[in-house]
Amino acid sequence: MILVLGGAGYIGSHMLKLLRETGESHLVFDNFEEGHREALLGSPYVQGDLRNRDDLRKLFADHPDIDVVMHFAAYIAVGESVEQPGKYFTNNTTAVIGLLEEMRAAGIGKFVFSSTAAIFGEPHYVPIDEAHPKDPTSPYGDSKLMVERILKAFDVAHGFKSVCLRYFNAAGADPENRIGEDHHPETHLIPVAILAAMGKKPSLKVFGTDYDTPDGTCVRDYIHVLDLAQAHLLAVKHLRAGGDSRQYNLGNGQGFTVRQVIDAVEHATGLKVPNEEAPRRAGDPAKLIASSDRIRADWGWNPQYGDLKVIVEHAWNWHKTHPEGYA
């Protein structure tokens, strides 16, 4: 059975959709601090906190059939991590150490970890491959890179096998429109642009218009949330087959400017996205694009929803029919 930590969140809930469709036995563990019970859609769950080892110990004792653990339970706001580093290191790093020890005590040695492109920091080159230098510029990125290093040490010491999947910009929503993105506050560009078009957010700020890009705005690599989920399923298959520990970058391999995202949102919604130019933000690279050549070659992973228009359309369908999110 697969244990999904943080399964009530944005990416975790889309992972559950795929697990239900493929008939994979699974269980959710979530404290519902950020996630939504409505996003589980019938998947079984246990409420508890990753930072509480007693909760974890009971969880593993009550469910001895768990053989793989997926981790989607991190705090993810880069700006907040700068303001509250202790919060991020406690939840994103220290709690994972306790989790790994409890997994070992329960005889579970397979782990799929949601990592992030933030471990790379300012890009030395694009597209960014797995060999790119790792120099995070935020406590959030540091907290994730620390876990990757801890997992490597656990493999050396205990034969603990893991797959780290480094996301760039998760986007989109369930094409069947039952689950979607509902963060509070929302900081991701595509939903922020949609909410601005709907009049639910103020005018969108375009930070920097003088970058060396086709239209002067930042370029980012957007990947559909269900394509991320598919990569996780491949990771489970690999680990269950006795595979070694791996680290992969996940992205479309192509980038889109902020202006292109705004245009795609206006095309999908038929609404104008109010926006205003603003100065560059410190630490915003001109381009962040992933190379996913390694996972494509090794596992045949291939994004099914690589078209920005499709990604935006799926996101719009969710927000249009759920204007208050899960509320």
Side-chain angles (χ1 to χ4, degrees), residues 204-252:
L204 175 70
K205 282 184 165 45
V206 179
F207 294 104
T209 57
D210 58 349
Y211 289 98
D212 183 18
T213 62
D215 60 22
T217 62
C218 288
V219 171
R220 295 293 182 264
D221 188 341
Y222 297 92
I223 180 167
H224 198 288
V225 63
L226 284 177
D227 288 326
L228 294 179
Q230 188 62 49
H232 280 77
L233 206 55
L234 292 173
V236 170
K237 181 179 178 181
H238 169 80
L239 292 173
R240 281 178 168 167
D244 57 350
S245 293
R246 303 278 180 95
Q247 302 81 37
Y248 288 118
N249 293 356
L250 298 179
N252 275 325

Side-chain angles (χ1 to χ4, degrees), residues 68-91:
V68 181
V69 175
M70 290 181 172
H71 184 286
F72 300 97
Y75 292 133
I76 62 170
V78 172
E80 183 186 54
S81 79
V82 175
E83 298 168 356
Q84 302 183 55
K87 173 181 177 178
Y88 276 69
F89 289 123
T90 298
N91 184 74

Side-chain angles (χ1 to χ4, degrees), residues 10-306:
Y10 172 46
I11 300 174
S13 62
H14 285 80
M15 187 73 244
L16 299 181
K17 169 184 167 65
L18 189 56
L19 295 178
R20 289 191 299 268
E21 290 175 350
T22 54
E24 284 280 357
S25 175
H26 63 280
L27 177 68
V28 176
F29 182 77
D30 205 301
N31 65 2
F32 299 105
E33 178 184 349
E34 302 285 347
H36 307 273
R37 283 183 177 82
E38 298 85 351
L40 299 180
L41 296 183
S43 286
Y45 73 90
V46 171
Q47 184 167 352
D49 198 298
L50 183 63
R51 293 161 291 197
N52 188 326
R53 289 185 64 165
D54 288 338
D55 285 356
L56 294 171
R57 198 168 298 127
K58 184 176 189 308
L59 173 72
F60 292 128
D62 290 346
H63 301 276
D65 49 342
I66 294 170
D67 68 317
V68 181
V69 175
M70 290 181 172
H71 184 286
F72 300 97
Y75 292 133
I76 62 170
V78 172
E80 183 186 54
S81 79
V82 175
E83 298 168 356
Q84 302 183 55
K87 173 181 177 178
Y88 276 69
F89 289 123
T90 298
N91 184 74
N92 292 7
T93 308
T94 306
V96 176
I97 297 173
L99 167 68
L100 299 179
E101 292 289 9
E102 294 302 331
M103 287 175 61
R104 284 188 59 235
I108 305 165
K110 300 177 181 67
F111 191 63
V112 183
F113 180 60
S114 298
S115 192
T116 173
I119 69 168
F120 296 112
E122 295 287 334
H124 294 214
Y125 55 83
V126 292
I128 298 170
D129 58 18
E130 287 80 2
H132 188 284
K134 296 159 187 67
D135 186 19
T137 57
S138 69
Y140 167 66
D142 279 327
S143 73
K144 291 285 195 169
L145 183 56
M146 286 178 182
V147 171
E148 288 205 18
R149 289 172 171 163
I150 290 164
L151 289 170
K152 182 177 180 180
F154 267 62
D155 192 0
V156 172
H158 310 301
F160 191 99
K161 301 305 177 186
S162 63
V163 174
C164 298
L165 299 174
R166 299 154 177 167
Y167 309 165
F168 280 63
N169 291 276
D174 168 25
E176 296 177 350
N177 204 29
R178 300 183 69 193
I179 52 176
E181 191 166 8
D182 185 14
H183 295 122
H184 300 279
E186 185 58 74
T187 59
H188 294 163
L189 177 59
I190 290 175
V192 166
I194 290 172
L195 292 169
M198 297 173 71
K200 290 187 168 295
K201 267 194 172 291
S203 178
L204 175 70
K205 282 184 165 45
V206 179
F207 294 104
T209 57
D210 58 349
Y211 289 98
D212 183 18
T213 62
D215 60 22
T217 62
C218 288
V219 171
R220 295 293 182 264
D221 188 341
Y222 297 92
I223 180 167
H224 198 288
V225 63
L226 284 177
D227 288 326
L228 294 179
Q230 188 62 49
H232 280 77
L233 206 55
L234 292 173
V236 170
K237 181 179 178 181
H238 169 80
L239 292 173
R240 281 178 168 167
D244 57 350
S245 293
R246 303 278 180 95
Q247 302 81 37
Y248 288 118
N249 293 356
L250 298 179
N252 275 325
Q254 59 180 320
F256 303 97
T257 69
V258 175
R259 291 289 183 203
Q260 287 174 319
V261 170
I262 291 173
D263 290 346
V265 169
E266 290 185 342
H267 180 269
T269 64
L271 302 170
K272 190 70 178 173
V273 177
N275 66 89
E276 57 189 82
E277 295 183 2
R280 292 186 182 192
R281 290 182 299 191
D284 259 357
K287 298 179 182 178
L288 283 178
I289 302 173
S291 169
S292 297
D293 291 349
R294 181 179 291 181
I295 191 172
R296 292 171 190 258
D298 289 356
W299 292 350
W301 177 76
N302 186 42
Q304 300 301 299
Y305 302 104

